[in-house]
């Protein structure tokens, strides 16, 4: 049975999905603030519950900040981060509810009725920021760049180093730029449709 065609053309499908892979090396071509803003301006439309938009993006540009981040990296993530043209720390704003009157103005009471407790904010914020992170990676690919997302960091250490007030909680570090030599490992297998889905 032929597959249903998608609205997205084949070249865009390849750019975002089929040919895109996690990059482990990058060229020294800079990633500009304008590129990062263009990525953000595209992916800010990702869905989040109550439009809470809890993801925060910290651009690690100075050499001092890079070394402070690398001190919390595990294994090969340190050298990869040192060599990348740009690294970003993705974190959850644990006080995202303070912006809900702006972001969800038709229900201003949501801020207090749903998110007055810190524990509830952390759960909801982490779920929704993680969803936004997936869109952010797609935005990097849409900009013609490669992403190298990493969880191999001591995030408690990263939080203490960069977010000492406890208002943000990091969960992902991404190197980004133009892919360098031998940037990609061979493509690993994926589950088939029948293995990954069920009809009930």
């Amino acid at each position: 049975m032929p597959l249903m065609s998608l609205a997205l053309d084949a070249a865009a499908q390849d750019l975002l999905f089929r040919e895109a892979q996690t990059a482990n090396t990058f060229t020294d071509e800079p990633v500009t603030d304008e590129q990062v803003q263009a990525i953000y301006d595209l992916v800010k439309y990702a869905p989040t519950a109550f439009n809470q938009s809890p993801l925060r993006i910290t651009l690690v540009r100075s050499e001092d900040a890079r070394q402070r981040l690398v001190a919390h990296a595990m294994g090969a993530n340190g050298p990869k981060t040192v060599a990348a043209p740009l690294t970003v720390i993705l974190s959850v704003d644990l006080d995202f509810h303070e912006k809900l009157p702006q972001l969800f103005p038709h229900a201003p009471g949501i801020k207090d009725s749903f998110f007055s407790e810190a524990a509830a904010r952390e759960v909801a914020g982490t779920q929704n920021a993680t969803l936004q992170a997936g869109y952010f990676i797609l935005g990097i690919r849409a900009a013609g760049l490669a992403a190298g997302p990493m969880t191999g960091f001591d995030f408690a250490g990263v939080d203490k180093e960069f977010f000492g007030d406890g208002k943000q909680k990091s969960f992902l570090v991404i190197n980004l730029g133009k892919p360098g030599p031998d940037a990609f490992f061979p493509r690993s297998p994926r589950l088939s449709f029948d293995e990954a889905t069920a009809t009930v």
Side-chain angles (χ1 to χ4, degrees), residues 8-189:
L8 203 63
D9 68 42
Q13 293 171 39
D14 288 343
L15 179 70
L16 298 177
F17 298 101
R18 284 192 289 261
E19 294 182 3
Q21 291 183 249
T22 294
N24 294 286
T25 69
F26 299 89
T27 70
D28 58 3
E29 182 177 332
V31 178
T32 66
D33 288 344
E34 290 77 14
Q35 286 173 299
V36 178
Q37 182 167 346
I39 292 166
Y40 178 77
D41 285 342
L42 180 64
V43 305
K44 67 184 179 183
Y45 298 107
T48 57
F50 303 113
N51 197 33
Q52 62 188 244
S53 307
L55 181 68
R56 301 294 178 263
I57 304 162
T58 301
L59 279 61
V60 180
R61 287 212 179 273
S62 73
E63 187 59 33
D64 173 70
R66 188 180 298 268
Q67 292 303 323
R68 287 161 49 211
L69 176 60
V70 165
H72 303 286
M74 300 175 184
N77 289 340
K80 287 193 290 188
T81 301
V82 167
L86 179 62
T87 301
V88 297
I89 304 168
L90 300 191
S91 61
V92 183
D93 180 357
L94 298 176
D95 281 344
F96 69 83
H97 66 309
E98 298 293 350
K99 294 190 180 294
L100 284 176
Q102 168 192 343
L103 296 173
F104 209 66
H106 52 286
I110 290 292
K111 170 183 176 292
D112 297 313
S113 61
F114 278 67
F115 300 113
S116 61
E117 299 294 327
R121 293 198 301 274
E122 182 167 348
V123 171
T126 299
Q127 290 172 336
N128 286 279
T130 302
L131 177 61
Q132 287 184 280
Y135 276 80
F136 186 72
I137 292 169
L138 287 175
I140 292 170
R141 294 173 175 181
L145 303 173
M150 301 169 288
T151 56
F153 280 76
D154 170 14
F155 284 111
V158 173
D159 292 346
K160 186 175 180 180
E161 189 74 48
F162 290 90
F163 313 122
D165 61 2
K167 301 297 186 182
Q168 288 177 235
K169 188 173 183 180
S170 59
F171 66 95
L172 191 64
V173 173
I174 303 178
N175 292 326
L176 61 150
K178 292 287 187 180
D182 301 316
F184 307 116
F185 296 141
R187 174 76 82 184
S188 296

